[in-house]
Amino acid sequence: MAGETGSISMAWEADQWVLAAAGRWDLAAVAMLEPRLRTADPGRSGANVCLDLSDLSALDTAGSLLIDRLIRRLRDQGHNVAVVGARPDLCHLLKEVQRAARLDCAQPPPHKPALDLVQRTGKATIGALQSGAELLSFLGLVTVTLLRLLRRPGRIRLTSFAFHLEQVGLNALPIVGLLSFLIGVVLAYQGADQLRRFGAEIYVVNLLGIGVLREIGILMTSIIVAGRSGSAFTAQIGTMKVNQEVDAMRVLGLDPVEMLVLPRMLALMVALPLLGFYAGIVALFGGAVMAYFYLDITFGQFLRQMQLAVPVEHLFVGLSKAPVFAMVISLVGCYEGLRVSGSAESVGLLTTRSVVVSIFLVIVIDAFFSVLFSYLGV
Amino acid sequence: MGPADSAPPVIRVRGLHTRFGAQVVHAGVDLDVRKGEVLGLVGGSGTGKSVLLKQIVGLLRPSAGSIEVLGKDALNLSDRDRLNLQSRWGLLFQDGALFSSLTVLENIKVPLQEHTTLPPDLIEDIARVKVGMVGLAPDAAAKYPSQLSGGMRKRAGLARALALDPEILFLDEPTAGLDPIGAAAFDELIGSLQKSLGLTVFMVTHDLDSLYAICDRIAVLIDKRLIVGTIDSLLQETHPWIKDYFHGPRGRAAVAAHGGAADSREG
């Protein structure tokens, strides 16, 4: 069977143009033969071409395809092609390939860049509106399930709730603490730099107290939690969806919203206000440390100024937003997880989406709260 | 074209031992796969059929023993030789294992693009020919794996395994999860491709019909060893598992369906 690599010779014999193929026409040989065959031409129109395959020692699909393409091209150019001398087993493969190559494929329509842009914009807009509407109806579904569950509190999954409380709350303490401390340091430093010009360093306490307790603490925590836990919700539920675990639940008469969504949502709604409070305290501590070393404000002074200038309402305003943010993050995370379909790729895609959408919504809702509170004069 | 006994075996396994912790899976497995034959590997669940397949293609390493594929020591290969060898075999995974982010056609093109220097239009044509050869409708070529049925995914996986025109085709439970008609059609497809491409086929299977329809010889993995033979010779075996397997209700049904390869067994 061995034989040398494939070759082809072309010559005129009497009034025939003879193409003699020899050796192994396999994938390795095809790369070398292809450029020669692409330009092979008898040099006059309507020639009689004889393709002699009798010296062929081996043939695979790539080689067969090359022969098939050669025959088709020469026939299209108006030559008469005759094939002679192929061994029966090679002939069988050649016929098989010719059959497969004739199956015509529907070509995708050609691209039109300008139209594409319009199409994509339109698709994205409609997609965004649709997923907004779906998210709202998912909120409705979750609310109804929650209300139903409140009538029969025994059905609340306490084990699952506790597990998620640990995951999203307790385990988030180190990272939330570290980042909040650094935020406190940065704010105090930047604020002090400006205020020092007016000799009003002490007001750095007002800046920190109001900024951190009212806005930054809870906002930062929500963003960290969206990246940390919202994505985890999507990935967990999405993987269960891929494994058909969610379908299995439905078939067994278990409600995925009750089993998967509510424990996560309730856990996050409990954990996020606590994390927000913790983040505020740690950030103030970071600011106080900075003030002590950089501005010579002692901890005592810091606390006294705090008591004078920052009424406790700011803390309540900040914390009142936490359950709403928690609900948005868990809702988006679970919703995107349940949207996963089939492939591993969609888990990754929707996890990214979940983080982007929940951070976006958290910031939009925060802005909405600011407007609301200023109306109410809080 | 028939399997020549004198030719060196395509796959040669000697004294293979496999242990996972304290659990011994294989204890002295010997196997020869001859050129151009279809060999079916059967055995109960958990006897290490898929493990043996993975060891031969280098996805797992045995604890002891030697494996030669196409005359090369498959356990001690340089990276270059391994790559070379890998392009000479194709493996169809149980559910196709298609890359989910690529269309069927792109899946088939991957090995061609990575391992050859052919021009893009020829690669495209070769991939389309493979789609036709495994009996997929032309419009399936542009679809993503998640849009295909299980049977179509297997056919697409087969097309990818055949992309480089390999000499050996490994199949891991090719008919599992297919309906009987689809399974019979898949058997027929493998049989006809094996003939037209001159493949050596090594298949792990549970499917008695496949064994009767396309396998030349059968290897039974039992008591951590292999017993190899044709169906007729295995029907004479007295080992209880083999007896149960071939003479059980399903075994008898398969014999009846495929024209009584074992007519003589009672006589």
Side-chain angles (χ1 to χ4, degrees):
Chain A
M1 281 289 274
E4 66 271 33
T5 53
S7 61
I8 187 148
S9 60
M10 310 172 193
W12 278 96
E13 282 175 23
D15 58 346
Q16 279 199 124
W17 195 54
V18 178
L19 294 165
R24 299 176 58 85
W25 278 50
D26 55 16
L27 204 55
V30 161
M32 292 180 301
L33 290 166
E34 200 271 341
R36 286 196 64 198
L37 292 185
R38 192 173 281 248
T39 54
D41 187 76
R44 61 176 91 146
S45 58
N48 289 319
V49 178
C50 174
L51 185 57
D52 184 358
L53 304 180
S54 47
D55 286 334
L56 218 53
S57 61
L59 188 66
D60 68 3
T61 33
S64 309
L65 183 66
L66 206 57
I67 292 175
D68 179 49
R69 277 174 31 142
L70 176 71
I71 297 172
R72 258 188 296 170
R73 184 174 60 81
L74 290 175
R75 287 204 173 129
D76 285 348
Q77 289 171 350
H79 308 294
N80 302 314
V81 184
V83 183
V84 296
R87 286 209 323 256
D89 55 320
L90 303 185
C91 209
H92 179 71
L93 178 64
L94 192 56
K95 286 214 176 87
E96 183 67 18
V97 168
Q98 283 176 329
R99 182 192 62 80
R102 292 295 180 281
L103 297 171
D104 230 358
C105 301
Q107 293 292 333
H111 282 288
K112 289 178 186 158
L115 201 65
D116 264 7
L117 182 69
V118 177
Q119 264 182 355
R120 283 179 60 173
T121 316
K123 257 189 196 160
T125 313
I126 291 174
L129 289 176
Q130 267 174 352
S131 64
E134 276 172 31
L135 194 61
L136 271 182
S137 73
F138 187 65
L139 171 66
L141 176 68
V142 172
T143 313
V144 169
T145 314
L146 182 64
L147 291 176
R148 208 170 46 212
L149 206 62
L150 287 179
R151 276 173 38 202
R152 298 169 61 190
R155 287 178 64 97
I156 295 179
R157 319 267 152 184
L158 280 178
T159 322
S160 175
F161 172 77
F163 170 79
H164 288 294
L165 198 57
E166 182 189 341
Q167 290 282 313
V168 302
L170 202 62
N171 294 351
L173 286 181
I175 184 70
V176 169
L178 178 66
L179 291 180
S180 305
F181 181 83
L182 292 176
I183 292 281
V185 167
V186 170
L187 272 182
Y189 183 81
Q190 294 297 335
D193 237 18
Q194 301 299 320
L195 292 170
R196 185 181 265 167
R197 296 184 197 174
F198 309 102
E201 290 99 325
I202 193 69
Y203 287 108
V204 87
V205 180
N206 303 34
L207 173 83
L208 266 174
I210 295 174
V212 164
L213 292 182
R214 210 181 155 105
E215 289 290 340
I216 310 259
I218 195 63
L219 197 60
M220 278 299 297
T221 313
S222 298
I223 289 172
I224 296 167
V225 165
R228 207 184 154 275
S229 306
S231 60
F233 290 172
T234 310
Q236 286 160 0
I237 296 179
T239 312
M240 293 178 76
K241 193 89 193 279
V242 171
N243 289 340
Q244 290 198 303
E245 288 174 58
V246 177
D247 291 344
M249 277 182 187
R250 289 213 172 95
V251 171
L252 293 172
L254 306 170
D255 182 3
V257 173
E258 188 185 312
M259 299 272 294
L260 300 175
V261 180
L262 282 180
R264 287 177 171 79
M265 193 169 101
L266 293 176
L268 199 60
M269 285 175 78
V270 171
L272 195 61
L274 295 175
L275 279 177
F277 179 72
Y278 162 77
I281 301 302
V282 176
L284 286 181
F285 175 67
V289 168
M290 197 63 205
Y292 178 76
F293 286 112
Y294 190 60
L295 299 172
D296 291 327
I297 299 174
T298 63
F299 288 115
Q301 281 175 298
F302 191 94
L303 284 179
R304 206 172 312 119
Q305 178 67 16
M306 187 85 164
Q307 208 172 10
L308 281 174
V310 185
V312 75
E313 282 77 37
H314 290 302
L315 178 66
F316 293 146
V317 166
L319 289 185
S320 70
K321 297 186 272 191
V324 180
F325 292 167
M327 203 180 74
V328 168
I329 293 168
S330 52
L331 211 60
V332 172
C334 296
Y335 165 72
E336 300 290 353
L338 286 171
R339 270 190 2 153
V340 166
S341 65
S343 67
E345 201 196 5
S346 80
V347 177
L349 210 69
L350 288 169
T351 305
T352 313
R353 242 187 81 94
S354 143
V355 175
V356 173
V357 170
S358 52
I359 290 178
F360 168 77
L361 285 179
V362 161
I363 293 175
V364 167
I365 292 175
D366 191 52
F368 176 75
F369 268 122
S370 296
V371 174
L372 181 73
F373 286 139
S374 79
Y375 251 116
L376 297 176
V378 184
Chain B
M1 286 293 281
D5 284 324
S6 56
V10 174
I11 301 172
R12 181 190 178 93
V13 179
R14 285 290 176 272
L16 185 93
H17 286 252
T18 308
R19 265 184 302 277
F20 293 120
Q23 186 196 1
V24 178
V25 181
H26 303 132
V29 166
D30 294 332
L31 174 67
D32 282 333
V33 181
R34 302 170 193 150
K35 190 171 175 57
E37 77 170 338
V38 182
L39 183 99
L41 176 62
V42 302
S45 303
T47 51
K49 303 184 296 292
S50 296
V51 172
L52 181 58
L53 175 69
K54 284 181 184 165
Q55 285 168 340
I56 294 174
V57 299
L59 291 173
L60 281 178
R61 236 190 131 72
S63 312
S66 72
I67 298 174
E68 269 178 42
V69 181
L70 296 164
K72 296 209 172 62
D73 179 0
L75 297 177
N76 301 296
L77 284 174
S78 65
D79 287 352
R80 197 186 169 77
D81 284 347
R82 168 153 295 280
L83 211 64
N84 239 322
L85 199 54
Q86 273 166 347
S87 66
R88 295 173 67 187
W89 71 50
L91 170 56
L92 170 61
F93 290 89
Q94 236 183 70
D95 196 35
L98 297 164
F99 304 124
S100 57
S101 56
L102 303 177
T103 64
V104 169
L105 199 68
E106 286 164 348
N107 260 289
I108 303 171
K109 282 186 194 169
V110 167
L112 290 162
Q113 285 162 339
E114 294 301 316
H115 296 307
T116 70
T117 52
L118 301 177
D121 65 314
L122 190 60
I123 288 182
E124 173 97 13
D125 273 7
I126 293 178
R128 284 197 188 283
V129 165
K130 306 282 167 173
V131 171
M133 286 179 87
V134 298
L136 279 174
D139 60 344
K143 286 188 177 156
Y144 286 91
S146 56
Q147 299 170 295
L148 300 178
S149 69
M152 289 164 86
R153 269 206 295 279
K154 285 205 172 164
R155 283 172 189 263
L158 184 62
R160 188 180 66 182
L162 292 174
L164 292 173
D165 278 299
E167 293 159 54
I168 312 175
L169 179 63
F170 293 98
L171 306 168
D172 192 359
E173 308 219 0
T175 53
L178 298 184
D179 64 86
I181 298 171
F186 205 79
D187 281 342
E188 197 181 314
L189 171 69
I190 290 168
S192 80
L193 287 174
Q194 188 263 337
K195 280 194 192 70
S196 54
L197 301 175
L199 296 167
T200 304
V201 179
F202 179 97
M203 63 194 281
V204 173
T205 187
H206 278 302
D207 191 338
L208 281 152
D209 289 310
S210 296
L211 295 181
Y212 281 102
I214 54 172
C215 289
D216 297 315
R217 289 194 306 153
I218 294 166
V220 187
L221 195 48
I222 201 162
D223 297 335
K224 306 175 174 48
R225 280 167 217 279
L226 274 181
I227 298 173
V228 188
T230 60
I231 289 192
D232 288 328
S233 73
L234 287 174
L235 284 168
Q236 312 300 327
E237 280 284 339
T238 50
H239 191 289
W241 194 88
I242 298 181
K243 266 188 132 159
D244 283 353
Y245 189 81
F246 287 103
H247 299 302
R250 282 160 179 259
R252 283 202 301 274
V255 173
H258 291 276
D263 282 342
S264 60
R265 76 173 185 279
E266 300 295 341

